[in-house]
Amino acid sequence: MKTNKVYKIVIAGVSIALLSACTDLVNEEKDSVVNKSTDGGFAPVNVSEALASAYKDLSTYSDQAGIYALGEHVTAEMIPPTRGVDWGDNGVWRTLDQHTWDASHSYILSAWNALNQRAYKATEIIASNPNAAQKAQAQFLRAYNMYWVMDYWGAVPFREVTQGVNDLPKVLTRSEAFDLILKDLEEALPNLPKAGPSISNGTASKAAANFLLAKMYLNKAVYKNAKPEGPYTFDKADMDKVATYVDAITADGYALEIDYFNAFSSAAKSEVIFNVQEGTAQNRWFMTLHYGQNPSGWNGFATLADFYDTFEAKDSRIGKAAKKDGSQYSGIGLGFLIGQQYDDKGKEIIDSRTQKPLKFTRDVPLAGAATDKGIRVIKYHPANSGKYILMRYAEAFLMKAEATLRGGNAAGALAQINALRAARGASALGSLNEESLFAEIGRELYWEGFKRTTEIRFGKFTNGEGVSVKEAYTVLYPIPSAALVSNSNLVQNPGY
């Protein structure tokens, strides 16, 4: 575990504390201060430099805390067990798992800070006389970061560049934020470049904008609902738009990878729509691997046997055995790591703490877990990892299938899902309903950081399988206490 670090930052002109822990990807925020000229007005930024910085800022999505933790640890496919003195971290992980967080939770604060700061940086770029292509990229980046504020908290603070340091940002309702994000994307789309699949897709493109537009309309019933917890009514016209946007992505040359895990490697060919070029995906293996493996991990997160058991044995997504051929990192398999673990030469790993063979078990308690407890997960392999993916074609493919089902065409959706299952080596389904579709989305997109949004949309976030009874109000996170103090326009979400 890394030592916690506290930085002072300014979000929308107010200095607050940012806590970060257990990561190699800590970025000190130095550029979130409102830019003021000598006469008190807005000082335009260097657009090219600011855009480059904004793309680098996307590395925050690959951290295992903050934004990722809020999207994944609160779901039924990941568990953050405490192992002795490891991973206690003052309860930040346990409270996420149990939906008992409050407005002082450090990762809720750090995610809020990071996302709002990045959205404002994009606003500064838009206000700095960019050319049409630059403006479109900034609008996409503002939309992407603001999307997650809207998704996680509902209320979205918005600061104009003409406001002074001491002026309070206005606060958009979830519905108003949806409309602004939609406007940004629709205006940006014509001026973004067309780009086919590539491991170098680290900048905005038409496919990336179409992806986010599809995601917007798929979740519109959630974001426009007067009751955040639902129930939700999905309009067929919205579902038709999802299909149209996904079809546009397909027309740009995107397709499912023949080899599932190839999508997450440096040899990816057909699925990467938008990824993070800054840094690596190393946190995804460090956060789950045992410290006795190569590379030595932090012996942290695991998946649950109930989720693992939803896979057929022949489904390629369940994983690949380690090569164990003596090459670097060949002792690490892909997918779900369960049972005896081996070093690069195929020798059994002995847990140095217990002096017993390291065998990952199906069972894993939330607290007091032994070092070998829990099935581990590897999608990005340290031997050939690609850059961290924010958008990949398989998710778009599934969005269209869901929209087709919700639009009333169950047969068409079944055909799409069976095409996906055939590509993954799984047997065809005989029928499709919301329950079986939800399970398929989980099998395809596990641990990619977006499961919370899916669980909410399917009505499973507070009462799904494997989840104890949890309060309905937790479909929204609390506005951080520090933000409420600094901006009186903010109102705490119900239940907190």
Side-chain angles (χ1 to χ4, degrees):
M1 303 295 291
K2 310 296 182 186
T3 302
N4 290 349
K5 299 180 181 180
V6 179
Y7 299 116
K8 296 298 288 184
I9 67 172
V10 177
I11 298 295
V14 181
S15 178
I16 54 181
L18 171 62
L19 175 67
S20 183
C22 305
T23 177
D24 291 332
L25 295 176
V26 174
N27 292 320
E28 185 171 359
E29 303 290 353
K30 296 180 179 179
D31 52 357
S32 50
V33 179
V34 177
N35 282 304
K36 306 297 289 184
S37 65
T38 55
D39 62 1
F42 170 67
V45 300
N46 181 302
V47 172
S48 296
E49 291 179 359
L51 268 176
S53 175
Y55 283 119
K56 288 182 178 180
D57 284 345
L58 293 171
S59 65
T60 192
Y61 286 89
S62 63
D63 193 349
Q64 83 284 351
I67 298 167
Y68 178 83
L70 299 192
E72 198 66 48
H73 275 290
V74 297
T75 74
E77 67 181 31
M78 180 178 281
I79 186 169
T82 300
R83 305 178 188 274
V85 297
D86 294 339
W87 294 101
D89 294 355
N90 298 314
V92 293
W93 303 107
R94 291 192 302 276
T95 54
L96 289 179
D97 183 87
Q98 297 173 320
H99 291 207
T100 56
W101 54 75
D102 60 26
S104 67
H105 196 286
S106 59
Y107 294 160
I108 292 175
L109 174 61
S110 65
W112 170 273
N113 286 348
L115 290 166
N116 283 300
Q117 181 267 328
R118 284 153 177 76
Y120 181 71
K121 177 183 283 188
T123 298
E124 289 186 312
I125 297 171
I126 293 167
S128 297
N129 196 30
N131 61 39
Q134 292 170 328
K135 180 181 178 181
Q137 291 182 71
Q139 286 179 301
F140 170 83
L141 289 169
R142 181 167 69 179
Y144 187 73
N145 288 296
M146 191 178 288
Y147 173 88
W148 291 111
V149 181
M150 173 187 70
D151 185 87
Y152 285 171
W153 291 279
V156 179
F158 187 83
R159 170 179 287 282
E160 301 287 357
V161 297
T162 53
Q163 290 184 263
V165 173
N166 296 317
D167 294 334
L168 298 179
K170 65 181 178 181
V171 177
L172 306 177
T173 66
R174 204 177 208 184
S175 180
E176 290 170 337
F178 182 95
D179 293 341
L180 177 57
I181 294 166
L182 195 65
K183 180 175 181 290
D184 267 344
L185 291 171
E186 289 175 343
E187 289 182 0
L189 188 59
N191 295 314
L192 291 172
K194 177 179 177 179
S198 170
I199 59 173
S200 301
N201 276 344
T203 55
S205 66
K206 291 185 185 299
N210 282 321
F211 183 102
L212 189 51
L213 282 163
K215 202 176 187 80
M216 289 275 289
Y217 278 104
L218 186 64
N219 290 282
K220 182 180 176 182
V222 178
Y223 302 143
K224 287 287 187 175
N225 203 313
K227 296 177 64 178
E229 69 275 16
Y232 313 116
T233 301
F234 297 87
D235 189 276
K236 185 179 184 304
D238 293 333
M239 299 301 99
D240 290 343
K241 287 183 178 180
V242 174
T244 297
Y245 288 124
V246 174
D247 286 344
I249 297 171
T250 306
D252 281 347
Y254 293 86
L256 297 172
E257 288 277 358
I258 297 173
D259 181 330
Y260 176 70
F261 291 103
N262 199 59
F264 309 98
S265 77
S266 57
K269 294 181 176 63
S270 63
E271 284 209 36
V272 178
I273 297 172
F274 187 50
N275 61 6
V276 181
Q277 291 294 304
E278 182 76 4
T280 72
Q282 65 182 12
N283 281 36
R284 290 298 169 271
W285 61 77
F286 283 142
M287 72 186 193
T288 191
L289 289 178
H290 187 274
Y291 42 72
Q293 294 179 281
N294 182 30
S296 177
W298 301 330
N299 202 32
F301 313 142
T303 197
L304 298 164
D306 285 347
F307 177 66
Y308 173 77
D309 288 340
T310 67
F311 290 79
E312 293 180 336
K314 64 180 183 178
D315 190 329
S316 65
R317 297 170 295 193
I318 204 169
K320 291 182 178 181
K323 294 180 179 179
K324 297 176 287 189
D325 59 7
S327 61
Q328 181 81 314
Y329 309 133
S330 63
I332 304 297
L334 278 165
F336 298 100
L337 309 187
I338 186 170
Q340 180 64 52
Q341 300 301 299
Y342 300 89
D343 67 15
D344 293 346
K345 295 181 179 179
K347 182 180 178 181
E348 290 186 355
I349 295 175
I350 303 299
D351 186 338
S352 62
R353 293 190 183 180
T354 65
Q355 296 302 308
K356 296 178 180 179
L358 179 61
K359 298 179 180 180
F360 292 146
T361 67
R362 289 173 54 85
D363 63 304
V364 55
L366 180 60
T371 56
D372 61 344
K373 294 296 184 181
I375 303 167
R376 312 306 167 87
V377 175
I378 293 291
K379 296 184 92 165
Y380 295 90
H381 198 283
N384 66 351
S385 170
K387 296 294 186 178
Y388 188 69
I389 298 171
L390 298 175
M391 300 177 180
R392 72 179 179 97
Y393 182 71
E395 185 178 356
F397 187 94
L398 282 163
M399 285 196 285
K400 181 179 178 180
E402 183 179 338
T404 302
L405 179 66
R406 295 192 186 279
N409 184 359
L414 176 62
Q416 290 174 266
I417 291 302
N418 280 337
L420 173 67
R421 288 179 62 80
R424 304 312 187 208
S427 59
L429 300 178
S431 61
L432 188 72
N433 56 24
E434 284 192 26
E435 192 72 24
S436 54
L437 177 59
F438 176 78
E440 195 62 37
I441 293 171
R443 285 186 287 266
E444 180 67 28
L445 303 178
Y446 64 92
W447 280 41
E448 293 183 34
F450 318 116
K451 187 61 177 289
R452 170 190 165 276
T453 306
T454 304
E455 285 190 353
I456 291 172
R457 190 171 66 250
F458 279 82
K460 292 182 174 293
F461 188 63
T462 56
N463 60 359
E465 290 184 14
V467 181
S468 58
V469 176
K470 292 168 181 173
E471 298 291 344
Y473 67 79
T474 62
V475 296
L476 288 178
Y477 286 112
I479 307 297
S481 299
L484 291 172
V485 170
S486 66
N487 185 356
S488 59
N489 291 333
L490 287 164
V491 177
Q492 184 59 276
N493 285 324
Y496 297 106

